[in-house]
Amino acid sequence: DAKTTQPNSMESNEEEPVHLPCNHSTISGTDYIHWYRQLPSQGPEYVIHGLTSNVNNRMASLAIAEDRKSSTLILHRATLRDAAVYYCILRAAWASSNTGKLIFGQGTTLQVKP
Amino acid sequence: DTEVTQTPKHLVMGMTNKKSLKCEQHMGHRAMYWYKQKAKKPPELMFVYSYEKLSINESVPSRFSPECPNSSLLNLHLHALQPEDSALYLCASSQELARGNQPQHFGDGTRLSIL
């Protein structure tokens, strides 16, 4: 399985944009890039995913490098509620039973200061 | 609010007890998952059911026994657990196992403590 590398922790100020990086240099051409986050005392929550093009939804934006070896999750205006562990995960587009699973790395713990 | 419902939210049990964790989803998803999460660690996959058949068992000890009685329900039967099995147990579902562009939806978990 292709691996991802994320910083252990990041800090942000409330109402400022946050850019969370993820390196995935061994990504294959058919791997989707998924982002999940886990707030304290809750299960992981799907945030966004993409393949090649940048993606936007109501929660965040995903910027994917042209060579696809890295990506950045962008929270446009951080709130205190965005303090969580953010996970960047690769998933094959068409997976066999053994590769259709999510493999969580250590993720990035985001602290948001008021 | 989560669309995957797990019960109970908390469970304390002795090492000789038998108990079950329950997970329910009504999104029509055909893949369901059990994960285990220790404190300050990422979730680790335990089992995957696809179309009500066990598809993946990540070498989980037999004291954990999964069951998928129908497409909406997933159970995890527990027997003779050890203190190191104390953890947050998460259930998730997705439309299908094999489609990599489909997100997984997680419940908020059952926090299990083994005395």
Side-chain angles (χ1 to χ4, degrees):
Chain A
D1 296 312
K3 281 192 164 184
T4 63
T5 306
Q6 301 176 252
N8 286 336
S9 62
M10 290 185 65
E11 278 187 3
S12 171
N13 293 319
E14 199 176 10
E15 297 190 9
E16 289 186 358
V18 182
H19 290 234
L20 296 161
C22 181
N23 286 321
H24 28 78
S25 57
T26 59
I27 191 170
S28 80
T30 55
D31 283 345
Y32 281 88
I33 303 158
H34 285 249
W35 284 82
Y36 286 77
R37 72 180 185 181
Q38 189 171 18
L39 279 64
S41 302
Q42 293 188 21
E45 174 187 27
Y46 164 77
V47 177
I48 199 166
H49 75 275
L51 186 62
T52 55
S53 306
N54 295 345
V55 184
N56 300 300
N57 67 20
R58 64 174 178 82
M59 289 181 71
S61 295
L62 177 60
I64 301 172
E66 201 169 326
D67 64 5
R68 299 206 333 120
K69 293 184 187 300
S70 65
S71 61
T72 303
L73 180 71
I74 302 165
L75 307 179
H76 295 286
R77 285 178 77 241
T79 68
L80 296 178
R81 196 194 171 276
D82 291 321
V85 180
Y86 286 79
Y87 297 101
C88 169
I89 303 169
L90 303 182
R91 290 195 78 200
W94 289 97
S96 69
S97 61
N98 267 337
T99 58
K101 52 193 180 185
L102 286 180
I103 300 176
F104 287 82
Q106 295 303 311
T108 297
T109 299
L110 175 66
Q111 287 184 308
V112 180
K113 296 185 286 187
Chain B
D1 287 341
T2 179
E3 296 166 309
V4 175
T5 305
Q6 290 189 245
T7 53
K9 291 193 186 312
H10 301 273
L11 179 61
V12 179
M13 58 187 285
M15 289 190 282
T16 57
N17 291 155
K18 283 186 183 181
K19 295 284 185 185
S20 297
L21 309 185
K22 185 175 174 179
C23 173
E24 200 165 358
Q25 58 87 14
H26 294 288
M27 295 178 281
H29 290 175
R30 303 314 299 267
M32 295 186 77
Y33 311 77
W34 280 115
Y35 290 83
K36 174 182 178 179
Q37 186 174 25
K38 300 283 278 184
K40 299 196 186 302
K41 296 289 187 184
E44 292 180 344
L45 184 67
M46 300 174 72
F47 302 104
V48 182
Y49 275 81
S50 178
Y51 287 85
E52 295 141 61
K53 287 189 169 45
L54 185 63
S55 186
I56 300 175
N57 176 343
E58 292 286 272
S59 303
V60 178
S62 59
R63 57 186 185 268
F64 295 91
S65 175
E67 179 197 19
C68 189
N70 60 56
S71 59
S72 301
L73 268 179
L74 186 66
N75 297 321
L76 186 63
H77 303 297
L78 315 172
H79 174 55
L81 294 195
Q82 303 297 308
E84 60 265 27
D85 296 323
S86 298
L88 181 68
Y89 288 84
L90 293 159
C91 174
S93 70
S94 66
Q95 282 184 334
E96 291 191 23
L97 172 60
R99 300 282 296 273
N101 64 341
Q102 292 173 357
Q104 288 186 16
H105 298 253
F106 285 81
D108 284 334
T110 293
R111 191 160 298 281
L112 177 65
S113 299
I114 307 300
L115 301 179

